Every structure is written in C-alpha cells, then in structure tokens.
C-alpha cells in the first residue's frame, strides 16, 4: 500500500487540512424549457415561412411560364395576322388594277354604243310588207327571160322595160341598205365583245374585293385574339410581380427567422452549458468536501478503502 502520509508531506500539504465550504454561484440561467419551446416555435415559424416562400417561388415560376406561353401565342397570332394583311393588300391592289381595266372597258363600251346608235339612226328598219331582195331579184330575172323569149307588143315592151328599171333601182338601194346592215351587225358584235370584257373586269373587281375582305376579316379576328391573349399575358405578368414581391418579402422574413433561430439556439446552448458548468462546479465542490472529510479521517488514523483512496487521488491529495 502506498504511504500516503509521506506523499502528503512531500507534496507540501499542511499536517492539518480544514475543508473549505463550497461557494454558492448565482447565474441568470432563465428557464431552459422556455428557451427550448421558444427555439422550437421559431423553428416552426421558419419552416412555415420556408414552405410559403417556396410555394410563392413556385407560383412565380408558373406565372412566368404562363406569361411566356401567352406571349408566344400572341407572336404567332400576330405573325398569322400579318400574312393575311399582306394578302389583303395584294388583293386590294388587284382591285384597283381591275377597276382601272373595268373603267377603260366601260369607256370603250360607251364609245361603241354611241357609234352603234348613230349607225342605227341611218338604217331604217326594213318594211316587212315589202318583198325581200331575193324576191325582187327573181322578179327581175323572170322579166329579163320574158323579154328575151316572148314577142311583146310595143306597150307591153315599154311597160316591161320600165319595170326592169324600177326593179334595178330598188335592188341597188336594198343592196346598199344590206351593206349598211352588215356594218351594223359588225358594230353590234364589237359592242357585245366590249361588254363581255367590261363584265369580266367588273367580275374581277368583285372577286378580288371579296378576297380582300375575307383576308381583312381573318386579320381582324386574329388581332382580336392576340389582344385578348396579350391582356391575359399582362395579367400573368402582374401576378408574377405580385408573387415575386410576396416571395421576396417572405424570404426576408425567413432570413430574419433563421437569424432568430440561430440566436435562440445559441442562447439555449449557452444556458445549457452554463447549467452544466454550475452542476460540474457543484459536483467538484461536493467531491472536494468528501475528499477533505476522507483526508481528515486518514489523519485520524482511520483505515481507508480503495474508493476512499481513489477519491483522494481524484481530488489531488495523492
């Protein structure tokens, strides 16, 4: 067994040890349970704030996607409307060209119509009660044959010759009228052709005007659809800004809560460490008191147990 007395003497300890009373430490620890609850409450608020912020960020992304999708549709509709506008302008140009052509054709028709009317005034309508030129030519031929074949009396001969002269004059006049009639027919045909061209040009004007109107209507419809979608895109943009502001505000709140959470955690840890320190110092004081008592017993000659020796060793007596 180790001679603890000699060891004590060599260590310079006094021959008589008086145990000091432990000093009572007063520390403002607060209520640890309250701090724990406060920390958990702040943690809960931070989790809720984080979830709300993430939800708002998700909404923000959704509004951005919606806005971009609508704007893409607007661009597509405006592009389609532009194509119809281009076709409308092309058809309107054709309408103008066809109108010029139609007006020229109408001028031609008016001019030929005036010529035809003038010619018609100089060409009286044939008297249907009078024999035709074919009948007159037949009568003239029959009289010539009669003059050549038959032997006629003087008066009969004179009457036949007179009639032949009359028929010849009538036939020549009728032939002249027939020539005029042929010219009139030609002018009538020319007028008919001119009217056909004018009607064709007028029809082209109507067709191109109808096509231009159709393209215009489709263009207007597409622009109206684009305007409607543009309004929706503007609303999505407003929602995006609103959601972004709310998300930023919630993020700032979350940052503050995280700081508060760290402070609460630090406060909780500090208090917990202080409480551990107090308990440790209290335990050390109690251990020292016990060791002083054991050492006093040792000096009195009491036999020490192994546990007593370990207590003395732990307290620095050995």
């Amino acid at each position: 067994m180790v001679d603890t007395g000699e060891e004590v003497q060599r260590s310079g300890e006094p021959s008589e040890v008086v145990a000091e009373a432990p000093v009572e430490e007063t520390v403002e620890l607060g209520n640890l349970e309250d701090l724990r609850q406060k920390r958990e409450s702040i943690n809960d608020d931070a989790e809720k704030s984080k979830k709300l912020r993430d939800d708002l960020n998700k909404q923000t992304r959704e509004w951005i996607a919606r806005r971009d999708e609508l704007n893409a549709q607007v661009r597509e509709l405006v592009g389609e409307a532009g194509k119809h506008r281009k076709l409308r302008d092309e058809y309107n140009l054709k309408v103008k060209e066809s109108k010029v052509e139609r007006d020229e054709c109408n001028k031609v028709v008016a001019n030929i119509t005036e010529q035809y009317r003038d010619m018609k005034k100089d060409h009286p309508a044939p008297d249907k009660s009078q024999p035709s030129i074919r009948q007159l030519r037949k009568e003239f031929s029959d009289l010539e044959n009669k003059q050549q074949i038959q032997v006629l009396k003087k008066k009969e001969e004179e009457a036949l010759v007179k009639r032949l002269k009359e028929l010849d004059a009538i036939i020549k006049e009728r032939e002249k009228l027939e020539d005029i009639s042929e010219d009139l027919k030609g002018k009538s045909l020319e007028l008919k052709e001119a009217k056909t061209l004018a009607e064709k040009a007028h029809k082209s004007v109507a067709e191109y005007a109808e096509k231009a109107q159709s393209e215009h209507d489709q263009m207007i419809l597409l622009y109206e659809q684009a305007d409607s979608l543009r309004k929706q895109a503007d609303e999505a943009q407003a929602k995006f800004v609103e959601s972004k502001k709310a998300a930023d505000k919630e993020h700032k709140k979350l940052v503050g809560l995280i700081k508060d959470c760290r402070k609460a955690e630090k406060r909780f840890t500090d208090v917990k460490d202080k409480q551990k320190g107090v308990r440790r110092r209290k335990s050390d004081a109690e251990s020292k008191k016990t060791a002083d008592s054991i050492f006093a017993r040792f000096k009195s000659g009491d036999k020490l147990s192994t546990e007593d020796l370990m207590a003395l060793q732990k307290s620095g007596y050995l």
Side-chain angles (χ1 to χ4, degrees), residues 70-301:
L70 289 168
N71 282 332
Q73 292 179 23
V74 168
R75 287 192 294 272
E76 183 177 353
L77 289 172
V78 169
E80 288 297 319
K83 293 177 182 178
H84 287 290
R85 181 177 59 188
K86 182 179 179 182
L87 287 173
R88 180 204 63 182
D89 294 343
E90 290 176 357
Y91 284 131
N92 279 333
L93 181 61
K94 290 183 180 295
V95 168
K96 291 180 181 179
E97 294 172 349
S98 298
K99 281 184 177 180
V100 171
E101 182 180 355
R102 180 198 62 186
D103 293 343
E104 290 176 353
C105 288
N106 285 337
K107 288 179 181 178
V108 172
V109 169
N111 187 34
I112 296 175
T113 299
E114 185 177 358
Q115 294 174 11
Y116 178 77
R117 287 174 180 173
D118 290 341
M119 291 176 66
K120 198 171 182 181
K121 287 178 183 178
D122 298 334
H123 186 272
D127 187 355
K128 293 183 179 180
S129 63
Q130 297 296 321
S132 64
I133 192 170
R134 183 169 174 273
Q135 291 173 332
L136 292 172
R137 285 171 179 166
K138 185 177 183 304
E139 183 182 354
F140 184 89
S141 178
D142 291 343
L143 289 175
E144 278 186 330
N145 289 334
K146 183 178 180 181
Q147 185 183 30
Q148 293 173 4
I149 295 172
Q150 295 182 10
V151 178
L152 301 174
K153 294 179 180 181
K154 183 178 179 181
K155 289 185 177 181
E156 292 177 342
E157 179 71 24
E158 289 176 351
L160 188 147
V161 171
K162 183 180 178 180
R163 179 60 181 167
L164 285 172
K165 289 180 179 180
E166 291 176 352
L167 287 171
D168 182 61
I170 293 172
I171 289 171
K172 287 180 178 179
E173 181 64 24
R174 296 287 290 274
E175 286 177 343
K176 182 179 179 181
L177 291 176
E178 274 193 353
D179 292 338
I180 296 174
S181 179
E182 287 299 322
D183 293 340
L184 189 62
K185 287 180 180 178
K187 186 60 68 174
S188 176
L189 180 62
E190 184 182 356
L191 177 60
K192 183 178 180 180
E193 291 175 350
K195 285 182 177 180
T196 299
L197 291 175
E199 289 174 359
K200 183 179 179 181
H202 179 73
K203 186 177 180 181
S204 294
V205 171
E207 288 177 351
Y208 287 132
E210 183 179 355
K211 290 180 179 180
Q213 186 62 47
S214 175
E215 295 297 333
H216 177 77
D217 292 341
Q218 293 183 68
M219 178 195 73
I220 294 299
L221 178 61
L222 289 169
Y223 277 138
E224 288 176 349
Q225 292 175 354
D227 288 340
S228 177
L229 290 178
R230 189 178 288 108
K231 289 179 181 178
Q232 295 180 43
D234 291 341
E235 292 173 358
Q237 171 67 14
K239 290 290 186 182
F240 153 69
V241 172
E242 179 183 344
S243 181
K244 181 70 166 56
K245 287 181 178 179
D248 291 343
K249 182 178 179 181
E250 197 61 36
H251 179 72
K252 290 180 181 178
K253 178 181 176 182
L254 175 59
V255 170
L257 286 170
I258 290 174
K259 290 180 180 179
D260 291 343
C261 187
R262 288 173 179 170
K263 290 178 181 178
E265 179 67 28
K266 186 177 184 304
R267 176 62 177 161
F268 177 81
T269 302
D270 290 346
V271 170
K272 191 174 181 181
D273 290 343
K274 286 179 180 179
Q275 287 184 347
K276 287 181 179 179
V278 169
R279 286 195 296 269
R280 185 173 60 251
R281 287 193 295 274
K282 184 178 179 181
S283 176
D284 291 344
E286 291 176 352
S287 297
K288 188 175 184 304
K289 183 178 179 181
T290 301
D292 290 344
S293 176
I294 293 172
F295 191 71
R297 285 170 43 219
F298 170 71
K299 290 177 62 178
S300 299

